[in-house]
Amino acid sequence: MRFTSEQHLDDVLERRFTLGDVPGILWTPRPASAPAPLILVGHPGGLDRMHPRLAARARHAAREGFASATLELPGAGERPRSADAEQARADLQRALAAGDRVDDGIVDRLVLPLVEQAVPEWRAALDALLPLPGLGGPVGYSGGVVSIGVRLAVVEPRITAALLFAGSYVPRVIVEEARQVHIPLLVLLQWDDEGNDRQMALDLFDALGSREKTLHANTGGHTGVPWFEGDDANRFFARHLR
Amino acid sequence: MRFTSEQHLDDVLERRFTLGDVPGILWTPRPASAPAPLILVGHPGGLDRMHPRLAARARHAAREGFASATLELPGAGERPRSADAEQARADLQRALAAGDRVDDGIVDRLVLPLVEQAVPEWRAALDALLPLPGLGGPVGYSGGVVSIGVRLAVVEPRITAALLFAGSYVPRVIVEEARQVHIPLLVLLQWDDEGNDRQMALDLFDALGSREKTLHANTGGHTGVPWFEGDDANRFFARHLR
């Protein structure tokens, strides 16, 4: 892991890094006090495009004393494209434009290779990040891609709580895998998300195996999550990462 | 309105009253400071049986400076029974025991007369309570019976925010009426509520016409609402009653 830039803001230190050839960003609270629990911040890919929203979430989490980190997703931003994933994305967009039901095969081809490649990268990021001064456990996961969050919650024991954004297509095998998730969960659903299948999100919530799971559904579209959910997220992680 | 008893606790003053022949309870924060916004606390009927839970909610709300008040429901507690309502309740219990689908007619016979009778009583309680020293507007509604909450939100302009417990049967006409609700809403749903129809609750949430509406669904049965929802309720009302 190599740090490539750092920026001191009032409330956080933002450091960009590369892990192998994967770019990432680490935000730590300022002033640093006790070792901060770490939240892995998920997103749909495209770190530069997502940066304003990711940084806002990281700064909000820093108010509660949490560090945040994220990685670029495979095939997004400056990372090499996969021809198969690009084809699946084009098929998805064609189906949506035609108003067709999205075929399970398209979702599988789009999401499963992403999960297979991303999850080991995020676990490697934990190996590299957690020994850094100022960081400690336990670890949370917050955001989309929800399938990555589910797989991480199943395979990565250092993750002890997750806030999942139910805003993307979920392969059936991941819905099945969700039954093996047992950590506390907060699931966010935008009720009027035009690019999402509400019933699929409710089915995923139902399938998740955790004894403590809460769904917060709000009116509005994909990017219309209300501001107070940021506070709710902090309180959720404060309950489980302290 | 006539006060019949009062009890000074550390954090609230609890006063029982009768309004005509309807018993009720008023909780006001101690020490009293500025006039407190008032929350009407809904429940399934049976004030004495419900008292521990209602008093706990009122004391929790008092931490945020809110007063709370509740009335006995028609046909519950010491109030005279209605033969029609008793028959509808018996029909409902028979259908549930037999594992049958609950007929719309049963739900209408059980709930609609209750709404028709209770809503004017709760509005009369507002007329009597709001002029009392220490109480002010605006007013919130919190709890079940959800159909009473929906009707009050439609017809009573003094109610400016409502937390609805989606834990009871809802007549179709009330689901239609829900489209006319426009105040901010927080809807609580117990995901594994054995006595509730989850899809009916989701349909009701979908129908509610408010631009700001949030669903909090939690694992667990009817009475298993997690403790942190009490804090969330206070924050919801703090956003809208201040």
Side-chain angles (χ1 to χ4, degrees), chain A residues 162-191:
Chain A
L163 187 166
L164 302 175
F165 290 10
S168 52
Y169 287 91
V170 180
R172 280 180 198 276
V173 295
I174 298 286
V175 175
E176 283 308 307
E177 200 168 326
R179 300 183 200 284
Q180 301 167 43
V181 175
H182 297 296
I183 59 173
L185 297 175
L186 176 58
V187 177
L188 280 191
L189 169 62
Q190 285 299 97
W191 197 250

Side-chain angles (χ1 to χ4, degrees), chain A residues 67-236:
Chain A
S68 299
T70 192
L71 288 185
E72 184 59 279
L73 287 189
E78 305 296 308
R79 299 188 63 185
R81 297 290 181 273
S82 137
D84 290 347
E86 294 297 300
Q87 184 60 52
R89 194 181 310 275
D91 293 345
L92 174 69
Q93 279 159 357
R94 197 172 311 120
L96 289 176
D100 293 345
R101 200 190 153 281
V102 175
D103 183 78
D104 284 350
I106 297 177
V107 175
D108 288 355
R109 284 190 287 124
L110 184 66
V111 178
L112 290 179
L114 184 68
V115 171
E116 293 293 339
Q117 191 178 348
V119 165
E121 292 175 354
W122 289 69
R123 300 187 72 184
L126 280 186
D127 295 339
L129 289 165
L130 287 178
L132 292 176
L135 291 185
V139 178
Y141 180 86
S142 172
V145 174
V146 66
S147 296
I148 294 175
V150 167
R151 173 68 58 84
L152 275 169
V154 171
V155 302
E156 175 50 69
R158 289 172 289 188
I159 294 182
T160 57
L163 187 166
L164 302 175
F165 290 10
S168 52
Y169 287 91
V170 180
R172 280 180 198 276
V173 295
I174 298 286
V175 175
E176 283 308 307
E177 200 168 326
R179 300 183 200 284
Q180 301 167 43
V181 175
H182 297 296
I183 59 173
L185 297 175
L186 176 58
V187 177
L188 280 191
L189 169 62
Q190 285 299 97
W191 197 250
D192 312 295
D193 190 341
E194 50 298 324
N196 191 14
D197 183 321
R198 184 194 296 164
Q199 191 57 49
M200 183 186 292
L202 293 170
D203 290 347
L204 176 67
F205 179 73
D206 194 47
L208 287 157
S210 305
R211 201 166 50 83
E212 181 182 333
K213 60 178 177 182
T214 301
L215 175 72
H216 283 190
N218 286 286
T219 42
H222 192 74
T223 58
V225 178
W227 64 268
F228 50 76
E229 290 293 348
D231 292 342
D232 286 5
N234 271 358
R235 281 185 289 263
F236 169 75

Side-chain angles (χ1 to χ4, degrees), chain A residues 191-192 198-199 202 205-206 210-219 226-229 232 235 239, chain B residues 191-192 198-199 202 205-206 210-219 226-229 232 235 239:
Chain A
W191 197 250
D192 312 295
R198 184 194 296 164
Q199 191 57 49
L202 293 170
F205 179 73
D206 194 47
S210 305
R211 201 166 50 83
E212 181 182 333
K213 60 178 177 182
T214 301
L215 175 72
H216 283 190
N218 286 286
T219 42
W227 64 268
F228 50 76
E229 290 293 348
D232 286 5
R235 281 185 289 263
R239 286 207 302 278
Chain B
W191 197 250
D192 312 296
R198 186 194 296 164
Q199 191 57 50
L202 293 171
F205 179 73
D206 194 47
S210 305
R211 202 165 50 83
E212 179 180 335
K213 61 178 177 182
T214 301
L215 174 73
H216 283 190
N218 287 285
T219 42
W227 64 267
F228 49 78
E229 290 294 348
D232 287 5
R235 282 185 290 264
R239 286 207 301 278

